[in-house]
Amino acid sequence: MTDPGTDEAHQRRFDAMITAEERIEPRDWMPDAYRRTLIRQIAQHAHSEIIGMQPEGNWITRAPSLRRKAVLIAKVQDEAGHGLYLYSAAETLGVGRDELLDLLHQGRQRYSSIFNYPTVTWADVGAIGWLVDGAAITNQVPLCRCSYGPYARAMVRICKEESFHQRQGFDILYTLARGTDAQRRMAQESVDRWYWPSLMMFGPPDSESTHSEQSMAWNIKRFSNDELRQRFVDMIVPQAEALGLTLPDPALKWSAERGHYDFGTPDWDEFMQVLKGNGPCNRQRLEHRRTAHEEGAWVREAARAHAAKSRARQRAAA
Amino acid sequence: MSGRENGSVSAERDTALAAYTLRLGDDALVASHRLAELAARGPQLEEDVALANISLDLLGQARSLLTYAGSLEERLTGVLRTEDDLAYLRDEDQFANCRLVELPNTDFAYTVARQLLFSAYQFELYTALAGSADETLAGIAGKAVKEVAYHRDHASGWTVRLGDGTEESSERMAAALEAAWPYTAELFTSDAVFRSVAASGLGADPPDLRPAWDVFVDGVLAEAGLARPEVPPITGPAGMGGRQGVHTEAFGYLLAEMQHLHRSHPGAAW
C-alpha cells in the first residue's frame, strides 16, 4: 500500500524538478504515467533502430563500391548500437529488452512507419540517409534536453552518429546527381518516393496528435510535430538545391511573411494505412525480425547453458 | 649478373607478390561479404554489432590488399586496376580466395566454424607477414593481426559456448565443423606462388602455418568438448581449388549479388 500523503509529496517534488528543468534519474520517484510514456517512446525508438537495419541492410551485399559498402556496414552497425543504448535506457525504467522485443514481435509496440517503405534502388540508401536520418535528427536533437536523464544522454551520442549518417546519405545522392543520366534519374526517383514519407515521420498534425500535450508538459517533447516538420522542410529545401534535385511538392515556396517555406499536406490517409499495418513492408519487416529472433533461440539458450555450467564448474572447483 | 637478368628476377618476384597479395585480398573480401550478409540477422543485438565489426575489419584488410595488388600489377603491366575493378569486374575463375571463406551461413554454427578456422589461419598468416621483407605487406599485416586476434577470440568463445551449451548446440557445432573441415587443407597447400614469396622473404609458405594453427584449434575444440573432425580434404579436379580459380557452386551466386549493380552501370562513379 502506498501512502497517499507521501505520493503527494513525491508528486510535488517531481513537478518542481520538471519546472526547474532538472533531470529525472532512474532512482527518483516519477508518476506512473510519466514512466509508461517514456517506456513507450524509448521502446518505439529502440525498435525503430533495429527494424531500420533491414531496409539499409538490404543493400549491403550489393553496394556498388567497397568504400560505400564499408560506410553502409558501419551505419547498420551503428543502428544496432543505438538499439542497445536505447534498450538499456528503457531498462532503467524497469522493463527488460526481452520483454520489449516480445511486445515488438507480437505487434503490440510500434516502430517508425518510415521503415515500412521498401528500398528498391541504391539511391534509396542515399535518400534514407539524407531525408530519413535528417528527419530523425530534427526530432532527436531536442530530445538531448529531455527530462529523463538516461534517455537524454543516449540521445546525445546517437545524434552525433546520426549527423554522420545524414552527411553520408547526402554524399551518395550528390555523387549520383553528378553521375550518368541513369544515376541522376535513380537519385531523383528515390527522392520523389521518400519526400512525403519523411514529412510524415513527425507524426500527425498538432490538431490530431494524441500524446503531444502531456509529453510537452513533462519536458519529454520540446516542440510540436508541426514545428519540427517546418524546421525539417526549411533545412532540406536548400540542401535539395545544392544536390541539384527537386522535391515533389508543388506547394513548396518561400514565404517572406512567415520566414519559412510553405509546403503541401502529406497524404494522411496513407500514413494511417501504413500505421495500421498495410504499408508495403509492414509484414515483411516484422516477419524478418521474428525469424532472426526464433532462429537465434538455440544460440541464446546455448550461451545461457554454458554460463550456468561454467559457474557450476567454478563452484565445484572452489 | 647482368641488368637484364636482374630485371627478370625482379619481374618474377613482383609477379608472385602480386598474385600472393591478390589471394590474401580475395580471402578477406569474400570472408567479409559472407559476414555482411548477416546484417540484422544475428541471434542477438550484440552479435549484430560484433559480426558487422568483424566484417568491417576484413573489408578494410581487403581494400588495402586489393589496392596494393593492383599497384603491383600496374608495375608489371602498366595498367592499373583499382580495388573496385578487382572486386567488381573479375569473373569467378579470376578470384583466388580459398573456398573455406565462401561457405554459406547455413546457421550460426556454420558461421562460427568458418570464422574459427579462418581467423586462426589468418592470425598465423599475419603474424608471419608482419615480418615480411615487403614493407607495405608488413604494415598491412601488423595492423590486421590485432584485429584478427579479436576475431579469433570471438569465434573461439562461441565455439566453446555452442560446444558446451546444450545438446542441440553441441550437435549443430559439430555438424558445422565437419562441413567446413574438408576445406581447411587448402589453407595449408603450397604452390609455386607461395614458394616463391616465401623464398624471397616476402610471404609465408602455408604449410609452415599449420602446426601453430593445429595447436590453437585443437585447444579450442578440447575446451568446447568437441572432437576434431575426421573427414578427408576435398579432392579434385586435378588438385585445383580456390587458389586456381575453381570455386564452390555457392560462390557464383555471391559474386552475382555483389557485382550486379556495379556492372549494370559501366564506368559510373559511386
Side-chain angles (χ1 to χ4, degrees):
Chain A
M1 283 278 281
T2 53
D3 175 353
T6 315
D7 268 5
E8 267 171 44
H10 280 142
Q11 180 75 50
R12 272 198 303 279
R13 185 174 144 65
F14 174 85
D15 291 343
M17 286 174 78
I18 294 289
T19 308
E21 295 270 340
E22 282 174 43
R23 286 269 165 85
I24 309 297
E25 295 298 337
R27 288 202 181 87
D28 292 333
W29 182 92
M30 62 188 85
D32 286 343
Y34 176 83
R35 187 184 298 273
R36 276 197 307 275
T37 297
L38 275 169
I39 290 173
R40 182 180 55 79
Q41 181 169 337
I42 297 172
Q44 175 167 335
H45 193 162
H47 299 332
S48 301
E49 294 285 355
I50 65 166
I51 295 282
M53 293 165 71
Q54 291 179 38
E56 295 180 280
N58 185 37
W59 281 92
I60 287 178
T61 55
R62 294 175 290 169
S65 74
L66 297 185
R67 181 171 73 93
R68 295 289 184 204
K69 186 177 187 171
V71 169
L72 187 54
I73 294 171
K75 182 180 179 193
V76 172
Q77 184 191 28
D78 282 349
E79 281 156 6
H82 296 173
L84 281 173
Y85 316 149
L86 288 163
Y87 286 119
S88 301
E91 219 153 298
T92 65
L93 292 160
V95 49
R97 196 205 306 178
D98 288 346
E99 194 180 329
L100 295 177
L101 284 175
D102 285 343
L103 291 169
L104 169 68
H105 298 155
Q106 292 157 12
R108 290 166 59 201
Q109 278 183 342
R110 291 187 199 284
Y111 55 88
S112 177
S113 263
I114 193 78
F115 299 120
N116 292 316
Y117 289 89
T119 49
V120 292
T121 70
W122 167 252
D124 290 352
V125 175
I128 288 188
W130 178 45
L131 293 172
V132 175
D133 292 332
I137 293 166
T138 309
N139 261 328
Q140 290 168 9
V141 166
L143 287 174
C144 299
R145 294 190 291 121
C146 157
S147 58
Y148 188 57
Y151 190 31
R153 287 188 289 273
M155 291 319 303
V156 171
R157 193 157 160 191
I158 289 174
C159 283
K160 279 186 197 154
E161 294 180 353
E162 292 289 356
S163 70
F164 270 117
H165 298 168
Q166 202 217 358
R167 260 181 279 168
Q168 288 156 356
F170 183 89
D171 187 62
I172 287 174
L173 291 176
Y174 190 88
T175 305
L176 292 176
R178 274 147 195 80
T180 64
D181 288 349
Q183 285 178 306
R184 205 191 137 66
R185 277 197 302 276
M186 193 195 285
Q188 183 61 59
E189 185 277 332
S190 176
V191 168
D192 290 348
R193 262 185 299 112
W194 289 94
Y195 172 76
W196 291 111
S198 69
L199 293 196
M200 295 177 196
M201 282 177 70
F202 298 93
D206 294 350
S207 53
E208 286 159 42
S209 179
T210 46
H211 300 296
S212 284
E213 211 170 307
Q214 181 61 69
S215 287
M216 302 266 273
W218 277 329
N219 293 347
I220 296 175
K221 202 171 160 69
R222 298 286 181 164
F223 300 97
S224 77
N225 294 355
D226 287 335
E227 284 170 328
L228 291 168
R229 195 168 4 252
Q230 179 71 62
R231 191 178 283 195
F232 175 64
V233 170
D234 289 345
M235 176 180 82
I236 61 168
V237 171
Q239 291 178 352
E241 282 166 14
L243 286 171
L245 298 171
T246 58
L247 297 170
D249 184 350
L252 203 58
K253 76 170 194 301
W254 176 252
S255 161
E257 188 189 326
R258 294 198 308 120
H260 291 291
Y261 284 93
D262 292 338
F263 57 97
T265 307
D267 181 347
W268 293 115
D269 289 340
E270 176 181 313
F271 175 77
M272 288 313 298
Q273 282 303 317
V274 177
L275 203 63
K276 280 182 196 156
N278 301 321
C281 299
N282 297 59
R283 286 177 190 82
Q284 175 191 331
R285 299 286 186 243
L286 260 192
E287 198 48 46
H288 179 121
R289 247 323 296 171
R290 281 193 209 110
T291 304
H293 192 73
E294 283 161 17
E295 285 179 354
W298 69 270
V299 177
R300 296 189 298 274
E301 199 191 327
R304 279 191 298 271
H306 167 70
K309 284 184 186 176
S310 299
R311 278 193 302 272
R313 281 192 290 262
Q314 268 166 12
R315 270 198 304 274
Chain B
M1 204 183 268
S2 78
R4 214 157 106 208
E5 273 167 340
N6 251 336
S8 87
V9 167
S10 114
E12 236 178 77
R13 208 186 87 132
D14 283 357
T15 305
L17 184 61
Y20 181 66
T21 307
L22 193 61
R23 289 175 178 186
L24 305 188
D26 285 349
D27 280 354
L29 179 72
V30 176
S32 162
H33 189 91
R34 278 295 187 220
L35 290 174
E37 290 174 353
L38 294 171
R41 287 188 163 81
Q44 58 194 27
L45 218 37
E46 286 81 355
E47 281 313 295
D48 278 321
V49 175
L51 295 172
N53 194 37
I54 296 169
S55 175
L56 263 180
D57 285 344
L58 288 167
L59 184 53
Q61 294 165 19
R63 295 182 64 192
S64 301
L65 289 163
L66 292 179
T67 299
Y68 187 46
S71 72
L72 290 167
E73 200 183 77
E74 187 191 17
R75 273 195 235 162
L76 297 161
T77 62
V79 180
L80 176 69
R81 289 197 288 181
T82 65
E83 57 173 16
D84 285 342
D85 294 338
L86 289 168
Y88 292 100
L89 298 177
R90 278 182 302 155
D91 290 335
E92 212 175 318
D93 62 353
Q94 293 163 324
F95 275 81
N97 54 281
C98 61
R99 287 167 293 179
L100 175 68
V101 292
E102 300 164 15
L103 301 182
N105 301 303
T106 307
D107 70 13
F108 186 70
Y110 277 70
T111 304
V112 169
R114 191 182 67 227
Q115 279 302 117
L116 173 74
L117 303 174
F118 179 62
S119 60
Y121 155 78
Q122 265 198 325
F123 182 82
E124 301 307 332
L125 170 70
Y126 287 143
T127 301
L129 275 188
S132 166
D134 184 272
E135 270 180 31
T136 307
L137 220 43
I140 295 171
K143 175 170 181 281
V145 73
K146 294 178 199 133
E147 298 167 349
V148 170
Y150 161 71
H151 306 172
R152 199 176 69 152
D153 276 353
H154 177 264
S156 306
W158 275 110
T159 303
V160 170
R161 267 176 228 122
L162 298 183
D164 181 56
T166 64
E167 200 175 320
E168 180 186 4
S169 69
S170 176
E171 280 168 14
R172 284 182 186 252
M173 194 61 228
L177 278 166
E178 189 159 315
W181 200 266
Y183 294 92
T184 54
E186 186 173 45
L187 302 175
F188 304 109
T189 305
S190 195
D191 69 0
V193 168
F194 285 126
R195 278 189 293 268
S196 166
V197 290
S200 48
L202 302 173
D205 198 19
D208 297 342
L209 306 173
R210 176 125 212 177
W213 182 89
D214 275 332
V215 168
F216 182 82
V217 171
D218 286 346
V220 174
L221 296 183
E223 198 188 336
L226 293 161
R228 185 182 171 103
E230 288 190 24
V231 279
I234 299 288
T235 49
M240 289 192 296
R243 303 297 183 204
Q244 292 76 36
V246 180
H247 293 277
T248 60
E249 288 187 347
F251 188 53
Y253 292 88
L254 181 155
L255 283 191
E257 185 171 327
M258 184 173 94
Q259 296 181 335
H260 103 269
L261 176 61
H262 185 97
R263 288 195 183 215
S264 298
H265 298 264
W270 298 96

Tab-separated table of all heavy atoms in Angstrom, chain A residues 1-11 29:
chain	number	residue	atom	x	y	z
A	1	MET	N	0.850	-1.217	0.000
A	1	MET	CA	0.000	0.000	0.000
A	1	MET	C	0.876	1.253	0.000
A	1	MET	O	1.807	1.381	0.786
A	1	MET	CB	-0.881	0.019	1.268
A	1	MET	CG	-2.069	-0.920	1.227
A	1	MET	SD	-3.455	-0.192	0.347
A	1	MET	CE	-4.130	0.909	1.606
A	2	THR	N	0.581	2.143	-0.900
A	2	THR	CA	1.351	3.399	-0.903
A	2	THR	C	0.602	4.419	-0.059
A	2	THR	O	-0.615	4.440	-0.019
A	2	THR	CB	1.529	3.948	-2.321
A	2	THR	OG1	0.251	4.041	-2.935
A	2	THR	CG2	2.436	3.065	-3.151
A	3	ASP	N	1.366	5.231	0.555
A	3	ASP	CA	0.783	6.268	1.406
A	3	ASP	C	0.437	7.474	0.531
A	3	ASP	O	1.327	8.068	-0.074
A	3	ASP	CB	1.843	6.627	2.477
A	3	ASP	CG	1.390	7.791	3.343
A	3	ASP	OD1	0.332	8.390	3.033
A	3	ASP	OD2	2.115	8.098	4.299
A	4	PRO	N	-0.854	7.825	0.450
A	4	PRO	CA	-1.242	8.918	-0.449
A	4	PRO	C	-0.556	10.230	-0.073
A	4	PRO	O	-0.191	11.008	-0.959
A	4	PRO	CB	-2.758	9.017	-0.302
A	4	PRO	CG	-3.114	8.227	0.912
A	4	PRO	CD	-2.000	7.256	1.161
A	5	GLY	N	-0.317	10.406	1.225
A	5	GLY	CA	0.365	11.637	1.647
A	5	GLY	C	1.759	11.709	1.058
A	5	GLY	O	2.174	12.726	0.523
A	6	THR	N	2.451	10.559	1.087
A	6	THR	CA	3.808	10.512	0.558
A	6	THR	C	3.802	10.738	-0.947
A	6	THR	O	4.638	11.449	-1.499
A	6	THR	CB	4.445	9.142	0.880
A	6	THR	OG1	4.140	8.843	2.224
A	6	THR	CG2	5.927	9.175	0.654
A	7	ASP	N	2.851	10.075	-1.631
A	7	ASP	CA	2.735	10.242	-3.075
A	7	ASP	C	2.554	11.705	-3.463
A	7	ASP	O	3.150	12.164	-4.435
A	7	ASP	CB	1.549	9.422	-3.621
A	7	ASP	CG	2.017	8.033	-4.053
A	7	ASP	OD1	3.199	7.715	-3.834
A	7	ASP	OD2	1.190	7.294	-4.603
A	8	GLU	N	1.728	12.386	-2.684
A	8	GLU	CA	1.509	13.809	-2.994
A	8	GLU	C	2.800	14.603	-2.859
A	8	GLU	O	3.122	15.440	-3.692
A	8	GLU	CB	0.450	14.404	-2.063
A	8	GLU	CG	-0.947	14.351	-2.648
A	8	GLU	CD	-1.996	14.741	-1.621
A	8	GLU	OE1	-1.775	15.740	-0.897
A	8	GLU	OE2	-3.008	14.023	-1.535
A	9	ALA	N	3.540	14.283	-1.811
A	9	ALA	CA	4.820	14.975	-1.612
A	9	ALA	C	5.779	14.666	-2.759
A	9	ALA	O	6.457	15.543	-3.286
A	9	ALA	CB	5.440	14.547	-0.281
A	10	HIS	N	5.798	13.385	-3.162
A	10	HIS	CA	6.643	12.982	-4.291
A	10	HIS	C	6.260	13.729	-5.558
A	10	HIS	O	7.109	14.201	-6.299
A	10	HIS	CB	6.489	11.472	-4.551
A	10	HIS	CG	7.291	10.636	-3.618
A	10	HIS	ND1	6.824	9.444	-3.119
A	10	HIS	CD2	8.524	10.808	-3.087
A	10	HIS	CE1	7.741	8.912	-2.325
A	10	HIS	NE2	8.780	9.728	-2.282
A	11	GLN	N	4.952	13.801	-5.769
A	11	GLN	CA	4.452	14.458	-6.977
A	11	GLN	C	4.889	15.931	-6.998
A	11	GLN	O	5.313	16.444	-8.024
A	11	GLN	CB	2.921	14.352	-7.045
A	11	GLN	CG	2.299	15.020	-8.278
A	11	GLN	CD	2.496	14.217	-9.566
A	11	GLN	OE1	2.213	13.019	-9.597
A	11	GLN	NE2	2.994	14.864	-10.610
A	29	TRP	N	11.599	9.291	-7.745
A	29	TRP	CA	10.178	8.953	-7.870
A	29	TRP	C	9.640	9.606	-9.152
A	29	TRP	O	10.064	10.709	-9.524
A	29	TRP	CB	9.413	9.495	-6.658
A	29	TRP	CG	7.946	9.132	-6.687
A	29	TRP	CD1	7.367	8.034	-6.117
A	29	TRP	CD2	6.891	9.871	-7.317
A	29	TRP	NE1	6.008	8.024	-6.353
A	29	TRP	CE2	5.694	9.134	-7.095
A	29	TRP	CE3	6.834	11.055	-8.063
A	29	TRP	CZ2	4.439	9.558	-7.569
A	29	TRP	CZ3	5.594	11.481	-8.543
A	29	TRP	CH2	4.416	10.735	-8.300
